Amino acid sequence: MIQLKGIQKQYGTGAAQVTALKHIDLTVNKGEIFGIIGHSGAGKSTLIRTINLLERPSAGQVLIDGVDMTALGTGRLQEERRTIGMIFQHFNLLTSDTVAENIAFPLRLAGQSKAQVAARVQELIGLVGLDGHGDKYPSQLSGGQKQRVGIARALATNPKVLLCDEATSALDPQTTQSILSLLLSINKELQITIVLITHEMQVIRSICDRVAVIDGGEIVEAGPVTDVFLKPQHPTTQEFVAQVEGNLNESLTVKNYAAGERTMIRITYIGEQTYEPVLFETMSGCNVPFVILQGTVSRLKETPYGQLVLELRGAEPEAIRAVELLRSRGLDVEVLRHG
């Protein structure tokens, strides 16, 4: 669906040149929600804006459904851009226009008739949950309502791709969740491909299928959210995961870890196994006492998962046998410490 090949972006020239993106290669599949997460200044805004060429890359190709956007002339590029909607962090609404007029704006630019515009606007107002607000002005709306207008406007021309540039960062947590739920329903109902950037791992965890982590203009880690979230490899990814999961190394330090014949392990459950008594059944059969030190049960989009940190009390051979039994039940078990 979307392919970024060898994307580079530099600003300035000579000694003043700054490299914002370095050799980016990414593929976004049709119909998925793909997240790009990074700190401020990491290059994520530049990256998402290369997809519709609001930022033209210094090198590389942007292909959407096989069409090389970087090779198009001005007229053809404008046509292709109509197939890409964009939602902005600060809404970018026309303050002197009503909700209905804001949504109608791209339809009028596309040359649709008044009847077509009116019908489409009413359809979109209902889709984003703004019934009864069509005649209001942006100043009369809450932040969440303004973003719903932005979403409706982005969907006006039936795009096949929806880009979200920090679409929830200006909203409170409750409103953020309602907007994420709306994006998820739009993705399911319209089968529209969504690419979003954020600095919040909670956003990625809530709705994304896959994620790329960007740091210093480079993709440092990428993959399915379940893999990246549950087994982060890069320090930047680990930092983002700690935003929502806490930091094991901080809460279970060597200082407060009891020494002796004790083994600390981390068990990861994914899917319906999360809700089954696998731990009880397995540990009952191997007669190794244990203490739960830390645990969580939650969801990654629609996939349930759980993580438990246990202290196994007993000699190392018994602890190893317990670990092997847990793994034989299909659990992911990592030995964190033995002492």
Side-chain angles (χ1 to χ4, degrees):
M1 176 60 176
I2 300 172
Q3 289 181 291
L4 305 182
K5 297 183 176 182
I7 294 296
Q8 298 185 63
K9 179 64 179 180
Q10 286 92 28
Y11 295 100
T13 57
Q17 187 177 82
V18 175
T19 299
L21 298 175
K22 306 172 185 176
H23 304 287
I24 300 290
D25 292 298
L26 274 182
T27 298
V28 179
N29 300 320
K30 182 176 178 61
E32 76 175 339
I33 302 180
F34 191 96
I36 300 169
I37 189 168
H39 293 298
S40 296
K44 58 185 184 297
S45 289
T46 302
L47 179 56
I48 199 171
R49 287 167 176 263
T50 62
I51 295 175
N52 59 2
L53 264 65
L54 288 180
E55 291 282 358
R56 183 171 284 274
S58 305
Q61 293 176 290
V62 178
L63 293 94
I64 299 181
D65 276 350
V67 176
D68 185 353
M69 302 285 285
T70 54
L72 300 180
T74 302
R76 179 75 192 283
L77 179 59
Q78 288 178 345
E79 289 179 16
E80 289 297 325
R81 276 180 175 156
R82 292 195 184 103
T83 69
I84 307 171
M86 192 161 190
I87 307 167
F88 301 91
Q89 177 181 358
H90 297 295
F91 321 127
N92 286 15
L93 301 181
L94 302 169
T95 57
S96 59
D97 284 359
T98 64
V99 166
E101 289 166 343
N102 268 279
I103 298 171
F105 183 70
L107 297 169
R108 290 182 180 135
L109 287 181
Q112 294 194 15
S113 69
K114 288 185 177 181
Q116 289 174 317
V117 170
R120 181 63 174 153
V121 167
Q122 287 308 305
E123 178 186 357
L124 289 165
I125 284 176
L127 178 68
V128 301
L130 287 176
D131 288 311
H133 296 279
D135 293 330
K136 291 183 179 178
Y137 290 89
S139 61
Q140 298 173 291
L141 304 177
S142 67
Q145 289 170 332
K146 289 177 183 177
Q147 195 56 285
R148 287 173 184 268
V149 178
I151 293 171
R153 182 182 58 189
L155 294 173
T157 55
N158 290 303
K160 54 190 176 185
V161 176
L162 185 61
L163 307 179
C164 304
D165 188 356
E166 294 274 14
T168 61
S169 63
L171 306 174
D172 63 74
Q174 184 175 356
T175 306
T176 291
Q177 197 55 51
S178 72
I179 294 299
L180 293 178
S181 295
L182 175 60
L183 290 174
L184 188 57
S185 67
I186 287 169
N187 169 254
K188 288 180 177 179
E189 184 176 338
L190 305 180
Q191 292 296 298
I192 190 169
T193 304
I194 297 178
V195 181
L196 63 85
I197 63 169
T198 183
H199 60 274
E200 299 174 287
M201 198 64 184
Q202 180 61 40
V203 171
I204 300 294
R205 185 172 79 164
S206 295
I207 68 169
C208 291
D209 300 296
R210 292 193 300 135
V211 61
V213 183
I214 187 169
D215 186 47
E218 298 180 275
I219 300 298
V220 296
E221 193 163 352
V225 172
T226 50
D227 293 348
V228 174
F229 187 86
L230 295 176
K231 290 189 174 182
Q233 301 299 309
H234 193 272
T236 300
T237 314
Q238 293 167 356
E239 182 182 344
F240 280 119
V241 170
Q243 288 179 355
V244 290
E245 288 295 280
N247 192 319
L248 176 65
N249 294 327
E250 291 178 358
S251 59
L252 300 170
T253 61
V254 174
K255 182 178 180 180
N256 63 31
Y257 176 64
E261 292 189 325
R262 303 174 188 232
T263 302
M264 185 188 294
I265 65 173
R266 175 164 48 211
I267 304 172
T268 299
Y269 307 78
I270 299 177
E272 294 308 314
Q273 193 177 48
T274 303
Y275 304 116
E276 296 174 359
V278 180
L279 178 61
F280 171 78
E281 293 170 356
T282 306
M283 298 305 288
S284 296
C286 63
N287 197 32
V288 175
F290 67 90
V291 177
I292 297 175
L293 301 178
Q294 189 183 69
T296 184
V297 174
S298 190
R299 285 181 175 268
L300 294 169
K301 196 174 181 181
E302 296 173 345
T303 302
Y305 78 94
Q307 283 193 320
L308 289 176
V309 177
L310 306 184
E311 180 186 82
L312 307 181
R313 296 183 174 179
E316 187 171 5
E318 283 115 6
I320 291 173
R321 179 171 174 269
V323 168
E324 290 174 348
L325 283 171
L326 288 165
R327 286 173 175 163
S328 73
R329 296 293 300 271
L331 299 177
D332 185 299
V333 184
E334 178 184 1
V335 177
L336 301 174
R337 192 177 300 140
H338 181 80

